Amino acid sequence: MSAESVVYYLKRPPANEPVDETEWLFSALGQFTGAELRELLYIAQEPEFFETMRAVFALPEQSRLVLQEFLTSADPRPVNAAIGPDGKCVLRHDAPELPEKPRLKIVE
């Protein structure tokens, strides 16, 4: 079941199927492992989670794919987000922090 079909189905069930929300829900939940369902429940409790997900899915497909690629890249550096003066959201990986060089203390 794709995200689009879940969102569509939540808005209204297909007209040619009887409305049995419990059966539909168990069918949808059966596609995930217990660990995935617990993770989803945990994450869904974050403030503004559903609003954020709705905004992500409202993006044009190409923009959503670019965002997904950026967020799932194997780059271990932290991600910073900023809104530019033109209103664009700019995401970037921080430069890795270099360890400070130890300072030598000369003792006479």
Side-chain angles (χ1 to χ4, degrees):
M1 183 173 296
S2 72
E4 283 184 16
S5 66
V6 169
V7 171
Y8 171 79
Y9 214 171
L10 289 176
K11 290 181 181 175
R12 62 185 180 135
N16 59 350
E17 293 182 22
V19 176
D20 185 352
E21 293 176 5
T22 306
E23 183 178 324
W24 174 83
L25 185 57
F26 280 122
S27 172
L29 293 175
Q31 297 179 30
F32 300 97
T33 67
E36 289 170 330
L37 291 172
R38 284 188 297 277
E39 182 179 11
L40 182 59
L41 179 60
Y42 175 78
I43 291 171
Q45 295 175 15
E46 290 292 321
E48 308 294 325
F49 171 79
F50 289 105
E51 291 79 5
T52 302
M53 289 301 99
R54 287 183 191 109
V56 168
F57 282 103
L59 289 171
E61 184 177 358
Q62 183 60 35
S63 296
R64 191 171 62 247
L65 291 174
V66 169
L67 177 60
Q68 182 177 355
E69 176 74 24
F70 179 84
L71 294 174
T72 60
S73 70
D75 195 327
R77 297 175 295 170
V79 175
N80 274 334
I83 303 296
D86 57 356
K88 290 183 180 179
C89 179
V90 178
L91 299 174
R92 65 177 170 74
H93 290 286
D94 280 344
E97 290 186 20
L98 300 174
E100 274 190 44
K101 293 182 182 180
R103 295 181 181 198
L104 296 175
K105 183 175 183 179
I106 301 177
V107 179
E108 292 182 23

